[in-house]
Amino acid sequence: MLIEAFARDCGLSYNRRIMKWVYIEDIAAYDGQDVEIRGWVYNKRSSGKVRFLLVRDGTGLIQATASSADKETLLFLQFDRLTQESSLIVRGKVRADKRAPGGFELAMSEIEIVQVAADYPITPKEHSTPFLMEHRHLWLRSSKQHAVLRVRAEIVKAIRDFFDGRGFRLMDTPILTPSACEGTTTLFETEYFDQKAYLSQSGQLYNEATAMAFGKVYCFGPTFRAEKSKTRRHLIEFWMVEPEVAFATLSDTIELGEDLVLFILERVLTKRAHELETLERDTKPLEAVRRPFPRLTYDQALPLLREKGSTIEWGTDFGSPEETLISEIYDRPVCVTHFPAAIKAFYMQPSPENPDVVLGVDFLASEGYGEIIGGGQRIHDLGLLEKRLAEHKLPREAYEWYLDLRKYGSVPHSGFGMGVERMVSWLCGVKHIRETIPFPRLLYRIYP
Ligand code: 4AD
Ligand code: MG
C-alpha cells in the first residue's frame, strides 16, 4: 500500500519530502544531512519509546532509529508493519555515533514501505547447510555470505588490475572446444550440431597461441570439470585466471605467481578489512605472508610428508591431506615443483636433468586451503609433443592447430592458472568452496 493511501486510512496527514538517495557505504560523506536509503529490513526491535531498524541496501548495514512518546505516529505505524526482508525507503538525518555499527546512524523521519515480505525463510536462528543451499538465492543477503562475495569481487578486480598494469593483453578463450586440456576424465561433453564439443577445462591451449601473437596474455573466465569427487575444494564450474608468457621459464612463472598472490593479498587486506572482520577472519597469518615463497621439488616434499605420517609413494599425486600437511610446515604459500610426468598433463615440459619429472608447479596456500595455482613450462618441441599426444591417446586431428605453434617460431613458454574460488576460500577463511561463488555448481546440486 502506498504511503499516501496508508496515511489516509489511518487519518494522518503526510507530505512527501524529497531527499537525496545515497548508499550506506558512502554515508560518512553525508553527516548531518537529510538523506534517503533504499533497501530491506535486516532486523528490527523496539525498546520503550525507541524503535531500531537495521537496514541493508546491498552496500552495507545501517541502524535507523526513531523515538516518540506517541505510538500512533505514521512512522511508528509503518514500523509495526515491517517484517524481515521487507523492502522500504527510509528517510532521515545522518548522524555520527561511535556506538552505532559502522559509526553512523539515521535519525528516521519517514518509512515508505515498498513491499511487506511474508515469512522470509532464513531467520536469525541456525539453519542446516542443505536448507541454506536450497535457498542460496536468499542466503546471499546474509551478512557473512555478502562479505565473502564482496571479497570475491575485490579479488577479481585486483587480478585484472595486476595483469592490465603489467602490460598483459586480455584474451577471451572459447568455452566450447573440440579438445581436452586437463585430461579426458573430467570433460563435459555436449553436441555441437553434428560434432562433439566439450566445455572448456582451461583456456591454456588457446592462450599458448595468443601468447605467440601478443607476447604476454591472460584469459579469465569460467571453466568446467566434471569432477566426480565430492570435496570441500572442488566446484564443477569455477573461475580461473590464466597468464601465459612467451619465452618465460618455470622460474619466471613462479615469480609471476608470487607477485600476483602478494598483490591480491595486499589489496584485500587494505580494501576489504571490514568484510574480513565480519567474517571473523584472523588476518595475522595473511599479513605475515612475505616473499619468497619456499620452493620444494616433489622429491624433497615426500620425506617431509612421511615425517608427518603420510604413506605416500613416489609417483602418486598429492591429495588434500598431503597439501594440508605441507602447508602446515610454512607460514606462507609453498611452491611444489618437478612432479612425476605420469601424473601431470600431456603438455608439461620434462626437466632437463630428469625426464621422468616435469617443470610444473603447484602453489599450495598456507593454513591448509589447498592448491591455489597450477602451471609450469610447456613442451615447445614438436616431436616430443606429438609423442605425448599419442601416449595420452589424444586425437591428433583436434590438436593440429596446437602442433602448428611448435612448427612456426616455437619458443619455450610458461604460464599458470589460479582458481578464484580457492583464493576467496583462503583469504576469507571459508572452509567450503560452495560459499565462494554466488551460485555454486556442485556434484549433487545445480539448483538454484
Ligand atoms: O591445476 P589446474 O588443473 O591447471 C590448469 O588447468 C592449467 N591448464 C592452468 C594453466 O597452466 N594455464 O587448475 C588450476 C587452478 C588450480 O590450482 C585451482 O586453484 C583451480 O584452478 N581449480 C579448481 N578450483 C575449483 N574447483 C575445481 N574443480 C578446480 N580445479 C582446479
Ligand atoms: Mg593442478
Side-chain angles (χ1 to χ4, degrees), residues 245 247-258 295-297 335-339 348-353 357-363 373-378 412-416:
V245 182
F247 296 98
T249 60
L250 172 66
S251 182
D252 297 326
T253 217
I254 294 177
E255 267 171 44
L256 184 67
E258 209 171 71
R295 298 182 188 190
L296 278 182
T297 62
C335 303
V336 184
T337 62
H338 298 79
F339 285 89
M348 293 224 181
Q349 173 72 22
S351 163
E353 289 92 42
V357 301
V358 287
L359 300 180
V361 58
D362 280 3
F363 282 52
I373 286 181
Q377 197 171 320
R378 328 301 191 185
H413 57 287
S414 305
F416 62 79

Side-chain angles (χ1 to χ4, degrees), residues 181-182 201-205 207 223 225 227 233-244 344 347 362-363 371-376 378 415-423 433:
C181 180
E182 295 300 317
Q201 298 168 306
S202 156
Q204 179 197 320
L205 305 188
N207 254 351
T223 44
R225 308 266 171 106
E227 308 260 11
R233 291 178 185 171
H234 290 89
L235 287 168
I236 303 302
E237 179 178 314
F238 64 96
W239 282 65
M240 181 156 65
V241 61
E242 297 178 86
E244 192 71 29
K344 287 289 174 184
Y347 52 71
D362 280 3
F363 282 52
E371 182 194 323
I372 43 174
I373 286 181
R378 328 301 191 185
F416 62 79
M418 190 188 82
V420 168
E421 293 76 14
R422 299 272 179 93
M423 276 302 276
I433 200 158

Side-chain angles (χ1 to χ4, degrees), residues 274-421:
H274 174 67
E275 283 75 8
L276 297 179
E277 201 183 308
T278 301
L279 293 166
E280 296 166 60
R281 172 64 160 119
D282 176 8
T283 55
K284 277 187 228 80
L286 299 178
E287 282 152 13
V289 173
R290 297 265 179 286
R291 116 182 50 240
F293 297 172
R295 298 182 188 190
L296 278 182
T297 62
Y298 176 89
D299 283 8
Q300 289 167 333
L302 286 197
L304 298 178
L305 284 168
R306 293 201 189 111
E307 257 168 50
K308 294 193 142 246
S310 168
T311 52
I312 189 167
E313 297 288 335
W314 197 93
T316 313
D317 205 358
F318 293 170
S320 293
E322 285 78 24
E323 290 178 0
T324 304
L325 285 177
I326 293 183
S327 75
E328 280 168 358
I329 308 173
Y330 305 96
D331 62 352
R332 54 192 82 183
V334 194
C335 303
V336 184
T337 62
H338 298 79
F339 285 89
I343 55 169
K344 287 289 174 184
F346 73 94
Y347 52 71
M348 293 224 181
Q349 173 72 22
S351 163
E353 289 92 42
N354 173 9
D356 292 339
V357 301
V358 287
L359 300 180
V361 58
D362 280 3
F363 282 52
L364 309 179
S366 35
E367 303 170 81
Y369 286 91
E371 182 194 323
I372 43 174
I373 286 181
Q377 197 171 320
R378 328 301 191 185
I379 293 176
H380 58 276
D381 178 75
L382 178 62
L384 179 58
L385 190 57
E386 285 172 325
K387 188 163 160 261
R388 282 292 147 85
L389 282 176
E391 283 165 5
H392 285 256
K393 301 196 169 52
L394 293 167
R396 187 184 162 114
E397 324 79 75
Y399 296 85
E400 283 298 350
W401 66 272
Y402 187 64
L403 291 167
D404 272 356
L405 305 174
R406 278 72 184 170
K407 292 181 196 160
Y408 307 115
S410 188
V411 295
H413 57 287
S414 305
F416 62 79
M418 190 188 82
V420 168
E421 293 76 14

